[in-house]
Amino acid sequence: MIRYLTLADRWMFSEYLEYWGRELEQSGAQILRYEHLLHETRFDPGTYVFTTFDEMPGPMGRFVDALAARLGESPHVRVFNDPARVLRRFDLHAALWRDGRNVFRSFRANGDWSAARYPVFVRTEGAHEGAFSPLLRSAAEVDTWIGRAAAFGRAMDDLLVVEFCDTADGDGFYRKYAAFHVGGRIVARSLNYGRPWMLKFGGNDFSQAMAQEELDYVRDNPHEAELREIFHIANIDYGRIDYALLDGRVQTWEINNNPTIGRGLRPSSRVIDPELRDTREETKRVFYERFNAAWAAVLAESPGRGAGPVEVRVDPLVLRAARDEHRRRWLTRKGFVEGCLRLAKPLLKTPLAPLLRLLYRTPQRLVRASAAPLFRVVGRRARKRSSAPA
């Protein structure tokens, strides 16, 4: 059996199971929500894939750590992505820097980032939403954007200042590669190509040449050995690595342990030219064939066949604190609104998206221009408060 553990409002793996991974679902793969496990003590044997734990600080995070530890004690359970061992973004960047793999560093926003090489950008450590800021070229700009993040309710201990690593080619185009790790198997997923330095699918420069390059990448899986080593350093059994190449060396942006796999039954976020459709469909076919095979191997290797349920007892104090946190969160307006927005996110990725972006960006430009001095002061004060000794 395979049990995929995630937050209740995340749908990435469910989209995969409902469309491309139907055979895996029919073989017994299930999605378990952490919120629903707060009252469970009996668990089926098999492989448990922990995800989204990097988005859960506090009591709920401690419950997930304890659950993984208790499950891992059973000979009938295999744990993927043990939260106690997985390197989060800051620690992963530090490890890859020390190992000579990454040429850029991350710094805690509430720590000393005076040694950072400009330009830099600000982002969160736990979320997988890309950069929070544009490229910044001075300490004053960094303070401004840290202040803006603090004013928008971002936790200071979750903010990073990251050195920019320029991997553009001679024509100013960037390439972002993505590959999955599934229980020791590397499966190349996609290649994005475009001029934005923070490259997403929507910023792709679609052409037949690039569609063919992406297909060749997915077929050939050219960085397989190096990627397997990076996942080993990160202690991640399942996830997707986003990376680029600099002078032929892999530069790891992040590893997402609950990544988007495909859009499932939702329409594509961008219309693809008809002449590229066949190539891109072949790319998807190759990827999903290998991705499905990797999960089939995990299923075949899962322990505990024929064994009874595993009894798991989490420390009552840890359990009570997690239940209280979950209850308080959903009783607050913020928690209710955030949950509704996350559940509605697939509906927002429709033809309404350009209008929604316009409604967001226009006031943001005004805010940035008028409130920059205030944000700068807020940023400095927030850093002083968070770095002050207890």
Side-chain angles (χ1 to χ4, degrees):
M1 296 293 183
I2 294 175
R3 299 293 182 260
Y4 189 95
L5 284 69
T6 185
L7 287 166
D9 53 5
R10 303 298 194 272
W11 61 87
M12 287 73 168
F13 205 70
S14 61
E15 286 187 326
Y16 163 66
L17 291 180
E18 75 183 7
Y19 193 70
W20 295 98
R22 289 172 183 167
E23 289 186 9
L24 184 65
E25 184 176 37
Q26 292 168 1
S27 299
Q30 291 183 1
I31 297 175
L32 302 181
R33 314 295 182 178
Y34 291 123
E35 296 88 340
H36 303 162
L37 300 180
L38 291 169
H39 300 277
E40 295 293 331
T41 59
R42 292 165 62 86
F43 293 81
D44 294 327
T47 299
Y48 282 74
V49 185
F50 281 76
T51 73
T52 60
F53 46 81
D54 48 352
E55 302 178 49
M56 294 183 295
M60 194 67 178
R62 288 190 285 274
F63 162 72
V64 171
D65 290 348
L67 177 62
R70 299 288 81 78
L71 282 170
E73 293 171 352
S74 170
H76 303 306
V77 170
R78 178 171 54 167
V79 171
F80 275 11
N81 298 347
D82 182 349
R85 300 179 61 247
V86 167
L87 296 186
R88 316 297 166 94
R89 184 176 287 118
F90 175 79
D91 292 327
L92 178 60
H93 284 174
L96 296 178
W97 163 266
R98 290 193 302 268
D99 203 39
R101 294 176 183 268
N102 273 6
V103 302
F104 67 92
R105 297 169 291 178
S106 292
F107 301 83
R108 296 284 185 191
N110 60 358
D112 181 10
W113 41 264
S114 60
R117 183 192 68 244
Y118 292 98
V120 298
F121 59 92
V122 176
R123 70 164 303 162
T124 60
E125 180 175 30
H128 300 275
E129 55 192 11
F132 183 77
S133 76
L135 292 181
L136 310 173
R137 303 182 184 278
S138 69
E141 289 184 343
V142 176
D143 276 334
T144 298
W145 278 88
I146 291 175
R148 185 170 183 266
F152 275 79
R154 306 289 178 134
M156 282 296 298
D157 58 3
D158 189 45
L159 291 178
L160 300 179
V161 177
V162 185
E163 292 177 335
F164 173 60
C165 176
D166 191 351
T167 60
D169 63 19
D171 296 321
F173 284 89
Y174 294 88
R175 286 172 171 81
K176 185 182 78 171
Y177 300 87
F180 281 83
H181 182 234
V182 184
R185 299 161 183 84
I186 302 297
V187 184
R189 173 63 181 100
S190 62
L191 166 60
N192 289 349
Y193 174 86
R195 291 192 180 276
W197 66 272
M198 181 57 65
L199 193 56
K200 300 289 186 180
F201 177 76
N204 264 355
D205 181 74
F206 288 102
S207 66
Q208 183 58 53
M210 289 313 304
Q212 185 61 49
E213 184 176 336
E214 180 184 45
L215 175 56
D216 293 341
Y217 164 70
V218 171
R219 276 178 173 164
D220 299 341
N221 203 7
H223 315 123
E224 178 179 6
E226 188 171 359
L227 297 183
R228 186 176 287 107
E229 293 172 356
I230 293 171
F231 277 104
H232 178 73
I233 291 171
N235 295 316
I236 292 178
D237 306 286
Y238 170 70
R240 188 195 70 212
I241 183 172
D242 293 338
Y243 67 100
L245 297 179
L246 182 66
D247 299 327
R249 297 164 58 191
V250 169
Q251 301 297 304
T252 301
W253 306 140
E254 68 170 358
I255 298 179
N256 190 336
N257 59 60
N258 184 43
T260 300
I261 304 166
R263 297 188 65 83
L265 299 175
R266 288 186 290 136
S268 175
S269 59
R270 181 166 172 175
V271 177
I272 305 299
D273 293 336
E275 59 267 24
L276 306 182
R277 196 165 295 146
D278 288 346
T279 304
R280 289 192 56 81
E281 286 299 317
E282 176 64 8
T283 300
K284 287 199 294 185
R285 187 196 66 78
V286 172
F287 164 72
Y288 280 110
E289 182 179 275
R290 296 178 180 179
F291 192 69
N292 291 344
W295 278 114
V298 170
L299 182 63
E301 297 163 0
S302 292
R305 292 183 182 276
V310 176
E311 291 286 340
V312 173
R313 301 291 178 179
V314 173
D315 185 326
L317 294 178
V318 172
L319 195 58
R320 186 179 305 118
R323 289 172 179 170
D324 290 344
E325 181 192 52
H326 176 57
R327 189 180 303 112
R328 285 194 306 269
R329 179 169 181 79
W330 277 97
L331 287 176
T332 64
R333 181 183 301 176
K334 180 181 178 183
F336 178 77
V337 171
E338 284 181 354
C340 291
L341 287 176
R342 283 173 176 165
L343 290 171
K345 188 175 179 181
L347 302 178
L348 300 180
K349 294 184 176 182
T350 65
L352 289 177
L355 175 59
L356 294 173
R357 285 195 295 268
L358 178 63
L359 292 175
Y360 168 77
R361 289 175 178 171
T362 300
Q364 292 304 309
R365 292 191 183 100
L366 298 176
V367 169
R368 291 175 195 173
S370 61
L374 175 61
F375 286 148
R376 190 175 300 125
V377 173
V378 172
R380 289 172 181 165
R381 291 182 177 177
R383 286 201 296 122
K384 288 180 181 178
R385 286 198 303 272
S386 60
S387 60

